[in-house]
Amino acid sequence: YVRTLDMASSLQQVQAVKRLTFELLEIHPGYHVLDVGCGTGEDVQALAQLVGRTGKVIGIDNSATMIAEAQKRAANLDLSVEFRIGDVLQLDFPDNTFSGCRANRVLTHLTEPRQALMELVRVAKPHTRIVCFDRDWVSLMITANDRRLTRQVTNFICDNYPNGWMGRQLPILFSECGLTDIKVVSDSLLLTDFAFTEKAMELRETATQLVEQGVMS
């Protein structure tokens, strides 16, 4: 998983989307920011540059491996950051704690995304921005000769996530959780290097699962 995150982060377009999420937060020096699903912590480091020494950025992830890697990567950096193992469904923070909350590619992995978003609403200060970025996996397109089989592969990838449609559902979810002034921004990622894509999206592992389930030979 660490390797997969590093591969994705190496793409300029992925970096551009991350910067956009930072801009949408409208962070100022002194802000306290929560980054949910922080992974290896590079985004927390980037956010810490924006809040400065008077602010703080806390990154949480449910993976002890990710938190250990994030702590190691930030160990020698003079940044106001903190990493914790945590559960977005039950955040260990008081109400009205943060000046900004961010969840990048998190809600699609959850069976209860509404509860997670309500937790972000709870710990966010009034009039605070909450930014969530998630993929819409049913929009995944792969160019191949066998259309029927290609649809089976892309549908399988989508349905393997608890919420493969999360990207398209975010606006409704935000509204249902009482958020206002909702802004929607779409983005697409183009991958043309098959070797890179096969590793980053684990296409070979996906094919193996399809064979084991008898979907394809």
Side-chain angles (χ1 to χ4, degrees):
Y1 287 125
V2 171
R3 175 185 61 79
T4 300
L5 283 180
D6 285 342
M7 289 183 70
S9 295
S10 69
L11 297 171
Q12 290 185 357
Q13 193 171 352
V14 171
Q15 288 296 325
V17 170
K18 289 185 177 185
R19 288 192 296 271
L20 175 60
T21 64
F22 301 160
E23 294 171 5
L24 290 171
L25 281 171
E26 291 192 351
I27 295 173
H28 298 284
Y31 270 23
H32 282 62
V33 178
L34 176 65
D35 189 44
V36 173
C38 65
T40 54
E42 279 78 7
D43 294 351
V44 172
Q45 295 176 26
L47 290 166
Q49 299 281 357
L50 300 175
V51 303
R53 296 300 303 171
T54 58
K56 187 172 186 177
V57 183
I58 298 178
I60 71 165
D61 202 287
N62 65 355
S63 167
T65 299
M66 291 296 180
I67 292 300
E69 184 67 19
Q71 290 171 335
K72 182 176 69 174
R73 295 186 182 192
N76 298 321
L77 303 176
D78 186 23
L79 296 172
S80 183
V81 299
E82 180 183 344
F83 296 100
R84 302 184 188 181
I85 299 172
D87 181 2
V88 67
L89 298 178
Q90 193 171 0
L91 294 172
D92 189 22
F93 302 105
D95 296 357
N96 307 323
T97 298
F98 295 98
S99 318
C101 295
R102 175 179 178 268
N104 184 43
R105 295 178 297 174
V106 173
L107 300 183
T108 191
H109 296 283
L110 305 178
T111 56
E112 301 176 49
R114 181 179 283 101
Q115 182 179 339
L117 185 55
M118 287 303 298
E119 276 292 275
L120 293 181
V121 172
R122 179 184 66 80
V123 301
K125 294 178 180 179
H127 309 295
T128 284
R129 289 200 168 197
I130 296 174
V131 176
C132 295
F133 174 79
D134 260 294
R135 294 190 177 107
D136 187 281
W137 283 104
V138 81
S139 300
L140 173 64
M141 295 179 286
I142 298 175
T143 301
N145 293 329
D146 190 325
R147 294 188 180 187
R148 183 187 64 82
L149 183 58
T150 301
R151 292 190 188 101
Q152 288 179 314
V153 172
T154 55
N155 287 339
F156 180 83
I157 291 174
C158 176
D159 294 341
N160 244 4
Y161 288 88
N163 278 288
W165 285 24
M166 195 70 254
R168 70 182 65 185
Q169 294 171 335
L170 281 174
I172 295 175
L173 186 62
F174 269 50
S175 179
E176 290 175 346
C177 289
L179 294 167
T180 58
D181 298 325
I182 300 169
K183 181 176 183 178
V184 181
V185 180
S186 64
D187 187 75
S188 59
L189 175 64
L190 175 65
L191 299 175
T192 57
D193 184 320
F194 177 77
F196 178 93
T197 306
E198 192 279 318
K199 291 180 180 178
M201 297 194 62
E202 300 178 337
L203 293 179
R204 195 172 302 277
E205 289 83 350
T206 298
T208 299
Q209 292 180 57
L210 285 164
V211 171
E212 291 174 349
Q213 295 183 20
V215 175
M216 68 180 192
S217 64

